[in-house]
Amino acid sequence: MTDFDITSGERDGMGPHGTKVGLLRVLGPAHVWALGVGIVLVGEYMGWNFGVGKGGAYAALIACWFAGILYTCVAMIDSEVTSTVAAAGGQYTQAKHIVGPLMAFNVGLYLTFAYTMLEAANAITAGYLISEVARLTSGVTDLDQRPFIVLAILFLAWLNFRGVLATLTFNLVITAIAFVAIIILFLSTSGVLGTSMMKHADLMSGQASLPYGWIGVLAAMHFGLWYYLGIEGTTQAAEEVRSPARALPFGTLAGIMTLMTAATLTWYVCSGILPWEFLGDGVNGSVAPLFDTARLTGSGFLVFLLGVGTLFATLASANGCINDASRAWFAMGRDRYLPGWFGAVHPRYRTPYRSIIFLVPIALIFALGAPLDQVITFSILSGLLEYTFMPLNVILFRKKWPMGVIKRGYEHPFHPIPAITLLTLCAVTYFAVFLGYGTQLVAMIGFYIIVSLWFHFWRYRFVNRGAQFTMPWPRPAGY
Amino acid sequence: MAHYQPPKQSKISQLVDVLVLLVLSIGALYLPVKLGLAGASVVHKTVENPTWESLGQNPVQAGQYEALGYTPESAADLITARFDYSFSWVSLAIMVIVVVGYFVMMLKLSETEYREVIAEKFGER
Amino acid sequence: MALWTFLEYAAWGLSALLAALMIIEWVRTDTTYSEEVLTSSREGELEAMTEEHKIDGGQA
């Protein structure tokens, strides 16, 4: 531990005589909100509607709310742990201190994959959107989407490379616009302002109500996660937030409330205007459901607004993903879980620049080479594994450091009910994924088993044992 | 407990480690896609000379499809596609074993590593 | 249509430019600073709550 206060104004993350460089503490609660909601809000603009295809519109709504419960548990648990373990790497650092190194290595990979795949999905959607604009404005049907996909990823990587404050301020602005666009679409189509265009009763009657019965509701849980996936990424900013113990719980919990509102409004307007078979097919039917809904309103202004909203949402999300994935990768490099080369911080921009650059080609490989629903599934699966880890994590946390032993910035209520609820909902979601994508699930876990063995028997020898435990906590109970 | 000194890793070895991870991860993610094993199976019901009625669409639904620019012919594939949710209990059992086994293995190995960390950080009891 | 063909090329060009900028800056940084300085970040040093906890036993 250092003998000076590195967070003080004059040092500000820089060691004496410029010998040390660390990340920069510049962010406030609004940036945390923008990082969390910015990553996720794109889930309302695309992807969630695969859940409609899985079980019909009602199934998607039920899945939306159950996933909302799942994520409320995630946010509560995460807020408690992270208000105490405030370091870049988020859940990775939590796992290292609470469960153990191998779990931490796995969690670090979940994070990197979930975010990098989400970034790829965003770039695909942005490319699609630009080709739609070309088609609608000038009748161009053979637009090459690739340069726009590449540009989106490179531009955001460059922004991240140059500094976190500008990156997340940019995110705050475009996320707010994308959120307001959903509200305006709801107000102008639902009958609050002007006449209602909603046709729920007719569009969801007969076979269209629950086309697969209750198994469809279960199956829809798979994509129900997509409404919220990524909100837990707020913890990655822990080392760059001015007062993590307050800003992180506040930003995260405000974020989940924003998302529950946006998700329900999105479902309401889309299912009230688009027939479910079209809405539910995110590849051949509705790639960008809110944009398609706006098209059917016949209002040029709404088409423009939701087009902009979709584009901004994808950019905000990809931006946050680059931020989060690189922080997780950086934190693992810094601890030698990965080659230490990745643990470098740019002396001027104070960003983990090598990790940012390294993840660019990986995002490109998937953005240019894999279909959207597959990429989304990779992301959801990594997220799901991470959510399975969280209840285990918080149960061990409360056991090893009972209340009162260490200072917690936020204490979540009703423990262990949220942990058990979360574990149960994860089990349901595994089954839902199994119904459509069982092979990927097994392939993915096979991958994690192999890399776990690789880490345990080879890579872990390069890791300092005691020094990786950096939190100033007392010895855990029972050890 | 003796203080553990990790060996210094050479540049080449660092590079090899990154390549191993890359090949494994891209392989695991791409293999199911390339082998065509990914995604749910979809069945189509063929409807000869489809009309909105024979596709089971009421006037409001048909109206929205037309507003989107579809005709009964062009929308038929979209509307008649259905996922096949039948599954075998054996494959479900395999999945449960794989998932549970993975977490059990990881928690066990983590626990041994964690005890070492605590012993070195706080000293042996 | 000419406009969109132009935009495609512009997007490729801009991507290449941004990639080049990042790579140049990366190489410049790596050659200007020593590896010790670049990888000197340590977890927990920025921990704001450090002073609020008591460490009992053990060294860091």
Side-chain angles (χ1 to χ4, degrees), chain A residues 293-318:
Chain A
T293 306
R295 267 169 49 200
L296 279 202
T297 62
S299 152
F301 167 71
L302 285 178
V303 175
F304 173 76
L305 184 67
L306 273 295
V308 170
T310 308
L311 187 64
F312 280 7
T314 58
L315 293 181
S317 177

Side-chain angles (χ1 to χ4, degrees), chain A residues 352-375:
Chain A
Y353 68 109
R354 286 176 184 165
S355 302
I356 293 172
I357 292 179
F358 174 75
L359 292 171
V360 167
I362 299 180
L364 285 177
I365 289 174
F366 285 92
L368 296 174
L372 183 61
D373 66 321
Q374 302 290 342
V375 175

Side-chain angles (χ1 to χ4, degrees), chain A residues 54 110 273 456 459 461 475, chain B residues 17 64 85 102 113 123:
Chain A
K54 285 274 168 189
Y110 303 159
I273 287 187
H456 185 76
R459 184 69 221 172
R461 73 188 58 195
R475 179 189 275 268
Chain B
D17 277 5
Q64 296 303 78
Y85 287 145
Y102 163 65
E113 292 170 354

Side-chain angles (χ1 to χ4, degrees), chain A residues 53-55 96-106 109-110 113 117 199 202-205 207-208 211-212 215-216 219 272-278 281 284-285 292 295-296 329 338-342 358 362 365-366 369-371 374 378 385 388-389 392 396 400-401 430-431 434-437 439-456 458-471 473-476 478-479, chain B residues 1-11 13-44 55-70 75 77-125:
Chain A
K54 285 274 168 189
K96 194 176 67 176
H97 284 89
I98 296 166
V99 184
L102 179 63
M103 182 84 236
F105 178 69
N106 277 269
L109 291 183
Y110 303 159
F113 283 134
M117 291 303 129
K199 301 181 166 68
D202 289 309
L203 287 179
M204 290 159 68
S205 69
Q207 54 90 26
Y212 294 98
I215 195 157
I273 287 187
L274 301 172
W276 79 273
E277 299 96 332
F278 172 78
D281 191 336
N284 306 310
D292 289 328
R295 267 169 49 200
L296 279 202
W329 199 255
L338 294 171
W341 188 80
F342 292 111
F358 174 75
I362 299 180
I365 289 174
F366 285 92
Q374 302 290 342
F378 296 146
L385 289 168
T388 314
F389 143 78
L392 308 174
L396 288 173
K400 292 178 182 177
W401 292 276
Y430 279 113
F431 180 70
F434 164 78
L435 283 178
Y437 297 80
T439 328
Q440 274 110 313
L441 180 63
V442 171
M444 192 130 188
I445 294 187
F447 160 75
Y448 281 115
I449 291 175
I450 294 172
V451 290
S452 291
L453 295 172
W454 175 80
F455 178 80
H456 185 76
W458 162 253
R459 184 69 221 172
Y460 190 54
R461 73 188 58 195
F462 299 108
V463 178
N464 260 312
R465 298 299 194 258
Q468 58 178 319
F469 193 104
T470 62
M471 292 297 136
W473 296 348
R475 179 189 275 268
Y479 285 83
Chain B
M1 178 179 166
H3 193 70
Y4 174 78
Q5 268 306 332
K8 229 169 165 39
Q9 195 181 14
S10 70
K11 276 260 179 287
S13 165
Q14 294 196 17
L15 190 69
V16 171
D17 277 5
V18 172
L19 287 180
V20 167
L21 261 186
L22 269 185
V23 169
L24 281 176
S25 52
I26 293 177
L29 298 181
Y30 257 106
L31 221 58
V33 179
K34 288 289 163 222
L35 295 180
L37 293 169
S41 48
V42 176
V43 281
H44 285 277
L55 290 171
Q57 303 297 302
N58 63 33
V60 173
Q61 291 162 342
Q64 296 303 78
Y65 271 109
E66 277 164 11
L68 285 165
Y70 283 98
D77 264 357
L78 200 64
I79 291 174
T80 57
R82 286 290 182 276
F83 290 111
D84 179 9
Y85 287 145
S86 60
F87 62 90
S88 80
W89 291 98
V90 177
S91 53
L92 180 64
I94 292 175
M95 185 203 71
V96 172
I97 291 168
V98 170
V99 173
V100 173
Y102 163 65
F103 274 101
V104 168
M105 175 202 84
M106 192 167 50
L107 288 176
K108 279 217 136 43
L109 293 180
S110 288
E111 179 71 16
T112 52
E113 292 170 354
Y114 189 69
R115 286 196 178 272
E116 255 177 64
V117 171
I118 297 303
E120 190 179 306
K121 166 90 184 174
F122 296 99
E124 298 279 6
R125 273 218 196 261

Side-chain angles (χ1 to χ4, degrees), chain A residues 414-437:
Chain A
F414 312 123
H415 179 79
I417 295 170
I420 294 168
T421 314
L422 180 51
L423 211 51
T424 313
L425 288 172
C426 284
V428 171
T429 315
Y430 279 113
F431 180 70
V433 174
F434 164 78
L435 283 178
Y437 297 80

Side-chain angles (χ1 to χ4, degrees), chain C residues 39-58:
Chain C
T39 55
S40 61
S41 165
R42 291 290 170 271
E43 180 180 288
E45 283 188 348
L46 296 177
E47 174 51 47
M49 289 164 70
T50 302
E51 55 274 81
E52 292 169 24
H53 296 295
K54 272 245 176 303
I55 310 170
D56 61 344

